[in-house]
Amino acid sequence: MNENNRFLTLLPQLSAEVASARAGDTSGQFPILDIIGNLRDEAVKRGGLPLLEVICADAWERMVKIVESGQPFLADDIAWLKELLLGVQAQAGTADASAAAAPAAPAAPAAPVVSLPLEAAVAAQPDPFAEEAPLTLNLTDDAELLREFINESREHLDNIEQGVLVLENQPSDAETLNTVFRAFHTFKGGAGFLNLIPINRLAHVLESLLDLARQQKLAIDGTVIELILRGRDVLKKFLDEIDGQATGARPVQPITIATAMLKCEVQDVIDGKHAAAAPGATANTQAEAADAAAPAAEIAGPPATQNSIVKVDTAKLDSLLDLVGEMVIAQSLVSQDLSEVVGLNPQFVRNVSQLSRITKELQRVSMSLRMVPIRGVFQKMSRVVRDVGAKQNKKVQYVTSGEDTELDRGVVEELNDPLLHMIRNSMDHGIETSEKRIAAGKSPHGTLNLRAYHQGGNIVVEVEDDGAGLNREKIFNKAVERGLASADDHLTDEEVFKFIFAAGFSTAEKITDLSGRGVGLDVVRRNIERLRGRVEISSKLGQGTLFKISLPLTLAIIDGFIVRVGEERYVIPTLSVRESFRPQPGMVSRIQNKAEVVNVRGRLIPLLRLNVAFGYADGTADVTDGIAVVVESAAGVRCLLVDALLHKQEVVIKNLNDMMVHKNRMLAGAAILGDGRVGLILDVSALVNLDTSVPVELN
């Protein structure tokens, strides 16, 4: 829209809203507030209209008080609005007379709000540092609307954060700037509709800041970036508190979050009091980012517009998936029974085969409903890299690939914490400062790669940095000091590196607010094992470190080996199986006449007889008659002795009740097998760490 005609668009809107406003009614309060705010901002942008700017600013403050009171318009309010409209029309009409090629609007009687001298009007402005009244929610009437507002607003906040991180490297990206601006605008509108005044006011001033940048009247420099990110974080605090009260997780009480100081800082930039770079110039932070030469694809911007989406309660979705799983099992049983019956009607057999194909396709489609892109997690990590890099004065180029890789919604939610700890570990321990990198003959800018891809029916997430790498000798000495290894042990690099996952293990010389207490990577190990995944480490001193996380695509279905122990069936997750073989005479021996170990190509691996562990009287006694299955977790490896390895199968996981889990720590769940029997799913992590000196209950 032509800038000169902006007033001509806003004034009719204000006139219509004022004309429809009625004493005793609240209708029109928020639209009028918003229009007055836009008129004030327009007067600031245009310049040369100081009286109109003061009129609108004063009127906006009065409208805020009316809205915050929660009361309907009074007769005096309506009279004031009509006088205000005349005054604004007079000032705006004079300003646009030449642009509109029409006679100036007739002078209107001076309203009380415009009769103040300019100095007195400015002096009448409220203290900008005074905080708003606490935000009180109307959970009785607005609970459903608040939940919808929260869900939509979180998407807007994610778009804002990712867009700003793109703008930090590419301040001239007009499309991204417009995306961030629209997110704040929509956020502001939703907050105004629900009477969330502090949120509305903060979003409005941030929107005004971005609007100046859109008009190329303000350069996107480091100060602007920081203000927008801080504003986004404050808005997230409001959302978290509202969400907690709406769901009952937090007590219902007025919400007070400081915003006045931030708004004043933003207003200072808008008013030109901040020495920002002139439009077209490049600020220091922008120059540094340009030095990093990060291509646009390295930090993903806000997601593109997608097809229409229907929001479904996750409990209903999970219930649907459970029913589909049951149907698949029932269909499998029917098909198996039919295979044992001869002389059936050929058409009936074909119909059953068609039903089988449809059932499998239904299972595939229903499982895809749980699948979401990993992009959201990757985007969150970009903010972590930026903030930690700024705090430690490290220049880091964040590169991502495979953001569209899809995996189970539950896996995505659980993956956030492990990745957070690994990213922070790479930033704190891995990537060096620019001075150290230059001294080592490296580029002053470090590189942190985050990748995701499919491999063998699983998803692999890699975190790789080009930093200092892991010091094998230092880690091994620390492990010996803590009693995790013996000085005479001959361990591979991978075995040594896995010590960093031990609880409380740290080689840091001092404790910082990021690391040094040895808790971060222990969390990674536990969370990944809970997801039935594994972590592999490779590193070269002085060159960098690679963490490779392998995860199942879904938590609802598991791909496993069905094994027999006595007369029972068990499921071992395929992802945890390294190899299987029939032990030969002499491969199994005892250490100190107690624990059994298997010699696998020169490596001694502890042996666990599952029939003994579960207390079965039957089962293989001679190891050469059974099958040894080598399983691994982040904590190590173990050899499981079973009676037979039956087949490989995808099974639908059924959770065990709390009593079963408590008494059977080796079990991760149950599944109905193809023949209708129940198979118990083994918890490989628990088996690897199992102390065989403690009897295992199975009741």
Side-chain angles (χ1 to χ4, degrees):
M1 178 183 296
N2 189 316
E3 181 180 301
N4 290 331
N5 293 329
R6 175 67 167 161
F7 283 123
L8 300 180
T9 301
L10 293 171
L11 287 177
Q13 296 176 7
L14 180 62
S15 179
E17 292 293 343
V18 171
S20 61
R22 296 290 183 271
D25 193 357
T26 59
S27 298
Q29 289 183 351
F30 275 108
I32 292 174
L33 175 66
D34 191 54
I35 294 170
I36 292 174
N38 286 330
L39 283 168
R40 178 200 59 191
D41 295 343
E42 188 65 22
V44 173
K45 298 171 194 173
R46 296 280 294 276
L49 300 171
L51 187 56
L52 180 60
E53 179 183 341
V54 172
I55 291 172
C56 293
D58 189 50
W60 192 80
E61 292 295 339
R62 178 166 175 174
M63 274 303 305
V64 166
K65 292 178 181 178
I66 293 174
V67 173
E68 285 182 337
S69 70
Q71 301 300 315
F73 282 124
L74 301 175
D76 290 344
D77 296 329
I78 301 300
W80 166 73
L81 283 173
K82 292 178 179 179
E83 293 174 344
L84 171 68
L85 177 62
L86 293 174
V88 170
Q89 286 175 334
Q91 294 297 320
T94 300
D96 279 337
S98 60
V113 72
V114 302
S115 62
L116 289 173
L118 180 59
E119 296 80 3
V122 173
Q125 295 298 310
D127 181 3
F129 292 95
E131 286 299 328
E132 300 89 350
L135 173 60
T136 303
L137 303 178
N138 183 1
L139 295 177
T140 303
D141 300 329
D142 297 341
E144 186 63 32
L145 291 174
L146 284 170
R147 281 193 289 270
E148 185 174 346
F149 171 74
I150 291 167
N151 291 334
E152 293 181 354
S153 297
R154 291 199 187 282
E155 295 180 13
H156 293 316
L157 290 183
D158 287 343
N159 290 346
I160 288 169
E161 183 176 64
Q162 296 311 310
V164 171
L165 294 178
V166 172
L167 290 174
E168 187 172 35
N169 288 323
Q170 304 167 56
S172 60
D173 189 333
E175 182 57 35
T176 300
L177 178 59
N178 287 330
T179 299
V180 176
F181 172 84
R182 287 193 297 268
F184 272 116
H185 182 75
T186 307
F187 203 110
K188 178 189 73 172
F193 177 76
L194 290 168
N195 200 25
L196 308 176
I197 299 300
I199 297 177
N200 176 272
R201 295 172 73 176
L202 178 57
H204 178 76
V205 72
L206 290 167
E207 176 196 36
S208 300
L209 180 70
L210 287 164
D211 196 28
L212 287 179
R214 289 201 311 162
Q215 299 179 55
Q216 298 184 351
K217 293 183 178 180
L218 178 73
I220 300 289
D221 65 354
T223 299
V224 173
I225 294 293
E226 286 297 331
L227 286 174
I228 298 174
L229 287 177
R230 284 170 56 196
R232 179 262 179 201
D233 292 343
V234 171
L235 292 173
K236 184 178 183 300
K237 290 180 182 179
F238 274 111
L239 284 187
D240 291 341
E241 187 62 37
I242 295 172
D243 194 10
Q245 294 191 23
T247 58
R250 299 181 184 179
V252 178
Q253 59 186 9
I255 302 172
T256 303
I257 298 176
T259 62
M261 182 66 74
L262 175 59
K263 287 189 298 183
C264 284
E265 291 181 46
V266 175
Q267 193 62 49
D268 283 347
V269 175
I270 292 175
D271 295 340
K273 297 177 183 178
H274 160 66
T282 305
N284 290 337
T285 55
Q286 297 168 12
E288 292 176 359
D291 289 341
E298 292 170 356
I299 299 181
T305 303
Q306 311 228 341
N307 295 331
S308 58
I309 296 176
V310 177
K311 297 181 180 179
V312 180
D313 187 278
T314 54
K316 295 179 181 178
L317 180 60
D318 291 340
S319 178
L320 169 65
L321 297 177
D322 286 341
L323 291 174
V324 171
E326 296 287 353
M327 186 174 70
V328 171
I329 294 170
Q331 185 275 328
S332 177
L333 295 176
V334 171
S335 298
Q336 184 168 335
D337 291 339
L338 288 176
S339 65
E340 299 175 359
V341 180
V342 296
L344 290 178
N345 185 322
Q347 182 61 42
F348 177 66
V349 174
R350 284 194 294 271
N351 290 341
V352 172
S353 298
Q354 175 68 5
L355 175 62
S356 175
R357 288 192 294 271
I358 294 174
T359 303
K360 290 180 179 179
E361 181 64 15
L362 177 61
Q363 182 186 32
R364 186 191 66 78
V365 173
S366 62
M367 289 308 305
S368 70
L369 298 178
R370 295 179 60 100
M371 310 301 281
V372 296
I374 200 173
R375 178 187 294 108
V377 178
F378 278 21
Q379 290 176 343
K380 291 178 183 178
M381 296 305 111
S382 66
R383 176 73 184 275
V384 175
V385 172
R386 177 195 181 276
D387 291 349
V388 175
K391 191 169 189 177
Q392 297 191 346
N393 194 28
K394 294 180 178 179
K395 299 177 181 178
V396 181
Q397 186 177 353
Y398 178 61
V399 184
T400 63
S401 62
E403 298 95 331
D404 293 329
T405 304
E406 292 188 337
L407 67 164
D408 189 275
R409 168 176 52 82
V411 177
V412 171
E413 293 171 354
E414 294 292 333
L415 188 59
N416 187 73
D417 278 352
L419 272 183
L420 175 63
H421 286 290
M422 297 174 77
I423 293 289
R424 292 176 66 171
N425 182 79
S426 292
M427 292 290 296
D428 196 34
H429 292 300
I431 297 178
E432 315 94 329
T433 61
S434 297
E435 294 76 15
K436 290 184 178 179
R437 293 181 64 85
I438 292 174
K442 295 183 177 181
S443 164
H445 298 88
T447 301
L448 183 62
N449 288 278
L450 191 55
R451 296 184 286 266
Y453 56 90
H454 291 286
Q455 185 180 70
N458 303 309
I459 184 173
V460 176
V461 179
E462 294 182 346
V463 180
E464 183 177 21
D465 65 70
D466 64 347
L470 297 178
N471 190 320
R472 184 188 191 282
E473 183 179 356
K474 194 172 184 179
I475 294 173
F476 181 72
N477 292 338
K478 189 71 174 182
V480 172
E481 177 186 323
R482 292 195 51 193
L484 300 175
S486 170
D488 298 328
D489 289 344
H490 299 284
L491 304 178
T492 64
D493 288 347
E494 183 180 357
E495 290 171 330
V496 172
F497 294 153
K498 282 191 175 182
F499 285 129
I500 67 176
F501 291 118
F505 190 94
S506 177
T507 59
E509 298 177 357
K510 64 179 181 179
I511 294 177
T512 70
D513 59 346
L514 291 179
S515 61
R517 296 178 176 85
V519 295
L521 294 182
D522 178 36
V523 172
V524 172
R525 177 182 61 82
R526 286 187 282 108
N527 286 13
I528 296 301
E529 287 179 349
R530 188 167 66 247
L531 293 172
R532 302 192 304 275
R534 67 171 185 265
V535 186
E536 301 174 37
I537 309 173
S538 59
S539 180
K540 291 185 178 180
L541 190 62
Q543 298 183 30
T545 303
L546 170 65
F547 290 89
K548 182 178 179 180
I549 305 174
S550 299
L551 297 165
L553 284 177
T554 175
L555 297 179
I557 290 182
I558 188 174
D559 189 27
F561 286 107
I562 313 300
V563 300
R564 180 175 62 82
V565 180
E567 296 300 321
E568 301 300 326
R569 303 290 188 272
Y570 291 91
V571 182
I572 304 177
T574 302
L575 193 61
S576 302
V577 177
R578 175 178 287 184
E579 61 180 308
S580 62
F581 57 90
R582 185 177 297 278
Q584 300 300 312
M587 291 183 66
V588 179
S589 58
R590 288 186 179 274
I591 298 178
Q592 298 178 350
N593 294 322
K594 292 184 179 180
E596 289 183 297
V597 295
V598 182
N599 189 328
V600 182
R601 292 183 296 278
R603 181 182 180 185
L604 298 180
I605 300 177
L607 177 69
L608 177 65
R609 297 174 182 254
L610 288 185
N611 62 334
V612 176
F614 285 113
Y616 296 139
D618 55 354
T620 300
D622 188 344
V623 293
T624 59
D625 294 333
I627 297 293
V629 182
V630 180
V631 296
E632 65 177 343
S633 72
V637 296
R638 196 151 199 172
C639 206
L640 307 180
L641 185 65
V642 301
D643 293 343
L645 184 62
L646 301 181
H647 56 272
K648 184 180 178 182
Q649 179 182 339
E650 278 191 351
V651 296
V652 180
I653 298 174
K654 301 293 182 183
N655 293 327
L656 301 175
N657 60 40
D658 293 340
M659 181 61 69
M660 286 284 288
V661 173
H662 173 71
K663 301 191 72 174
N664 298 272
R665 57 188 178 277
M666 296 187 297
L667 303 179
I672 300 177
L673 305 180
D675 58 1
R677 300 178 63 177
V678 174
L680 296 174
I681 302 171
L682 298 178
D683 187 331
V684 172
S685 175
L687 292 171
V688 170
N689 292 282
L690 184 66
D691 183 357
T692 53
S693 65
V694 180
V696 178
E697 299 182 31
L698 185 66
N699 297 315

